[in-house]
């Protein structure tokens, strides 16, 4: 993959509170165009809240976020544009159950981007082929496996032509034998130069595909570095303890 030096995403002092609970405590982060960043950490460490703030599904309580040097946390930020530019795929697939796979992929471009049916359908067919589901275009979500549904969800996010893709534990709801097919699609996107932030417990994926790994704990990034260094020679005891719990014993 080709990583450019210019940042596409910049986070300064990001804070998120739910009432009196502070789940993000001054996060600073810079992501370069084409970079794949894996975010690890225990449940409740703020990983999902960070991703949701990045595409403004959650309103930050403090700090600033910049996309291509334009602040997206300002009062007059264009939220629909931000969500087009920063795509997100969730743990649960959230497909429209009454629509076929291709209709799910077409929905955003037609209703948000204003594409005509023929253009949206042609693009959707290309994207379903990209995630190896060209033969499932007319299937309903109920006729698809969990892995297939998640790949449709990825195609749906890609249909908006985002600059950055966020993945929030996208394999955690899948049976183990279905995880590989989703990770294969994500690896292909990384190889093509898509900027990606990936919250995951799939350490092998992070080690093979990511340019950088971040460890979060108690709302802060406590350690970051090259995946090989983080996964085998972590400096922070909390990181080492977390990885041991995942059966990745640092050597």
């Amino acid at each position: 993959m080709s990583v450019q030096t210019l940042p596409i995403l910049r986070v300064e002092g990001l804070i998120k509170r739910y009432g009196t609970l502070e789940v993000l405590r001054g996060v600073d982060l810079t992501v370069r165009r084409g970079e794949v960043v894996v975010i690890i950490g225990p449940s409740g460490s703020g990983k999902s809240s960070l991703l949701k703030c990045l595409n403004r599904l959650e309103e930050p309580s403090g700090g600033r976020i910049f996309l291509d040097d334009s602040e997206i946390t300002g009062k007059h930020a264009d939220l629909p544009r931000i969500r087009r530019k920063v795509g997100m795929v969730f743990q649960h697939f959230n497909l429209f159950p009454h629509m076929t796979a291709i209709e799910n992929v077409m929905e955003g471009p037609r209703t948000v981007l204003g594409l005509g049916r023929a253009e949206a359908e042609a693009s959707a067919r290309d994207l379903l082929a990209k995630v190896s589901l060209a033969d499932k275009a007319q299937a309903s979500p109920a006729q698809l496996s969990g892995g297939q549904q998640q790949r449709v969800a990825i195609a749906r996010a890609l249909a908006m032509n985002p600059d950055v893709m966020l993945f929030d534990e996208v394999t955690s709801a899948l049976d183990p034998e279905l995880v590989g097919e989703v990770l294969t699609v994500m690896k292909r996107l990384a190889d093509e130069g898509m900027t990606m932030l990936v919250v995951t417990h799939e350490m092998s994926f992070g080690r093979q595909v990511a340019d950088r790994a971040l460890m979060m704990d108690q709302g802060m990034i406590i350690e970051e570095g090259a995946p090989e260094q983080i996964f085998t020679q972590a400096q922070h005891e909390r990181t080492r303890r977390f990885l041991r719990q995942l059966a990745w014993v640092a050597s």
Side-chain angles (χ1 to χ4, degrees), residues 43-71:
S43 297
S45 59
K47 307 182 303 295
S48 294
S49 294
L50 173 60
L51 293 194
K52 289 175 182 176
C53 285
L54 293 181
N55 76 345
R56 295 292 304 278
L57 283 178
E58 292 282 1
E59 187 68 21
S61 305
R64 306 168 79 190
I65 303 171
F66 296 85
L67 180 65
D68 270 337
D69 282 334
S70 296
E71 186 176 357

Side-chain angles (χ1 to χ4, degrees), residues 1-2 33-35 163 188-196:
M1 73 199 77
S2 175
R33 187 177 294 276
E35 190 175 19
D163 292 331
R188 193 177 306 141
L189 292 177
D191 290 341
E192 292 172 357
M194 175 62 74
T195 307
M196 298 164 55

